[in-house]
Amino acid sequence: MRLALLTYSTRPRGGVVHTLALAEALATLGVDVDVWTLGRGGDTTFFRPVADSVTVRAVPFADLGDDESVGARILRSIDVLGRAFSSERASYDVVHAQDCISANAAMASGGCVRTIHHLDTFTTPELVACHERAVVGPTDRICVSAAVAREVDDGWGLRPTVIPNGVDAARFEAGAADGAGRSRWAERFGDYVLALGGIEPRKGSIDLLEAFALLRATRPGLRLVLGGGETLFDYRDYRAAFERRAVELGIVPDIVGTVGEDDLPSLVAQAAALAMVSTKEGFGLAALEALTAGVPVVARDLPVLREVFGETVSYATDPVTIAQRLDTVLSSPPAAAAGRELARGFTWGAAARAHLEVYESLALSGTR
């Protein structure tokens, strides 16, 4: 079987991490996998090395700077990826897109499978249309959690196949054992609460600021570290509001941006706690990685996170309870065994086998 997996970026966003891990696991099963992506700003490779068994097809995408609106950039992304992909589309048995941009690009020349990681709400008209088409237009749909699949069913009457993410448990367990790496982070930040995913509305970044201000009142030496990759969407207004609120609260968060692939496991493992206070999530992979590294997690009380994590994390609903739960896990860290056992149950091999069943069914029916 020859498979095309499409994603919109080479940077370490959740859907991109998923795409690469799935591609490598499918290649291990004997699938001939090409990963198509936009090479933004001259990128020709992904944020991490990709197994030789997977072919990377990075389509050049020029950076036009701040003069290009979000809507125009979305439309140009779809057009550039779609035109490049259409010339080779006929050579693939199955086409699988991982986000609304790549789904729209794929559908410009035929059908596709689409993974709906989470549903989002946009105000930019081009993004609203991109999101809607990428839900209703694909031939088949996959969700990484039953909670998101229910949202799709409730909103559109469509019933996706549910295939959970995997997690590279060995990598983050190794991070916990990386004394040298952890020491470097400890020397840089001391004791810290970590949040990953960037500064944006969906990640609840301002709620976390408010919570950290409450927590710091009794833990003055604690620091807040924020890491995350790029997003194509324009959250500059939210980022400005975040920065204003940080000044008002007297907080200086440590913003590390994109963290190198080799450095991320020890950064996670050294954290006193991981805060995942997103208002929307598809699965919560970063929290699962933290549990694997033995780090306690405080999560927003969302159905999807209850589904994935059960009682292995602490749940909160607002800045006050986020601060309270963080204080509790910092004072009395829970035993790591249950979280590690949970994480080991999610493997990319299992995810790849489940995807292959979907692909084979589509190939047999003549649907791609």
Side-chain angles (χ1 to χ4, degrees):
M1 174 180 291
R2 190 154 191 252
L3 168 70
L5 284 176
L6 280 70
T7 187
Y8 77 99
S9 175
T10 58
R11 310 293 171 83
R13 301 295 293 179
V16 181
V17 172
H18 173 105
T19 302
L20 297 184
L22 177 62
E24 291 169 334
L26 285 164
T28 299
L29 297 179
V31 179
D32 184 1
V33 186
D34 286 2
V35 174
W36 287 76
T37 188
L38 288 171
R40 301 182 183 281
D43 284 351
T44 58
T45 58
F46 280 98
F47 66 93
R48 68 164 177 84
V50 180
D52 292 340
S53 55
V54 174
T55 300
V56 173
R57 307 291 300 273
V59 179
F61 187 81
D63 183 356
L64 301 185
D66 292 339
D67 290 338
E68 184 178 37
S69 69
V70 174
R73 192 158 74 250
I74 295 296
L75 294 178
R76 186 165 64 94
S77 297
I78 294 169
D79 179 62
V80 170
L81 183 58
R83 282 190 290 108
F85 179 68
S86 65
S87 65
E88 298 196 33
R89 180 191 185 93
S91 66
Y92 296 105
D93 299 300
V94 176
V95 176
H96 185 174
Q98 295 289 334
D99 50 79
C100 84
I101 290 171
S102 63
N104 277 264
M107 289 188 295
S109 56
C112 71
V113 182
R114 160 83 198 284
T115 294
I116 303 172
H117 292 273
H118 66 271
L119 295 170
D120 222 327
T121 302
F122 299 111
T123 57
T124 303
E126 294 86 349
L127 264 175
V128 173
C130 177
H131 182 271
E132 179 71 14
R133 287 194 301 266
V135 172
V136 301
T139 305
D140 206 357
R141 298 154 200 84
I142 294 170
C143 287
V144 294
S145 63
V148 175
R150 283 193 297 273
E151 291 184 61
V152 174
D153 191 5
D154 291 344
W156 291 269
L158 302 168
R159 296 189 175 182
T161 301
V162 177
I163 304 176
N165 275 327
V167 62
D168 189 348
R171 179 168 165 247
F172 284 86
E173 288 182 19
D178 180 6
R182 293 182 61 170
S183 292
R184 286 193 295 272
W185 293 116
E187 290 170 5
R188 181 174 174 182
F189 297 129
D191 292 330
Y192 59 92
V193 171
L194 177 67
L196 296 172
I199 298 169
E200 59 184 72
R202 186 175 68 85
K203 294 298 181 181
S205 306
I206 293 177
D207 276 0
L208 181 56
L209 264 185
E210 302 283 355
F212 190 77
L214 297 172
L215 183 64
R216 192 190 54 178
T218 56
R219 297 178 180 272
L222 191 67
R223 294 168 76 170
L224 177 61
V225 177
L226 303 172
E230 71 145 19
T231 178
L232 183 64
F233 310 132
D234 190 351
Y235 297 134
R236 282 177 292 185
D237 290 345
Y238 186 86
R239 176 69 177 259
F242 176 93
E243 291 171 350
R244 286 194 302 271
R245 189 58 180 147
V247 171
E248 292 167 356
L249 294 169
I251 295 171
V252 182
D254 294 282
I255 301 172
V256 297
T258 300
V259 180
E261 185 74 358
D262 292 339
D263 295 325
L264 181 62
S266 59
L267 173 68
V268 172
Q270 185 57 31
L274 180 109
M276 176 171 277
V277 298
S278 310
T279 59
K280 294 183 180 181
E281 279 291 342
F283 183 80
L285 184 57
L288 204 61
E289 292 168 344
L291 292 177
T292 305
V295 175
V297 172
V298 172
R300 181 88 65 171
D301 196 351
L302 303 177
V304 61
L305 299 182
R306 288 274 184 182
E307 172 192 335
V308 175
F309 296 104
E311 299 305 314
T312 62
V313 306
S314 297
Y315 295 100
T317 57
D318 55 27
V320 171
T321 54
I322 292 167
Q324 290 171 345
R325 302 297 181 270
L326 283 170
D327 187 58
T328 297
V329 301
L330 292 172
S331 297
S332 302
R340 284 198 172 115
E341 182 179 359
L342 175 73
R344 289 169 181 163
F346 292 100
T347 70
W348 286 111
R353 290 189 292 274
H355 278 81
L356 190 55
E357 290 181 8
V358 173
Y359 300 155
E360 289 174 340
S361 175
L362 291 172
L364 286 173
S365 67
T367 303
R368 299 192 297 174

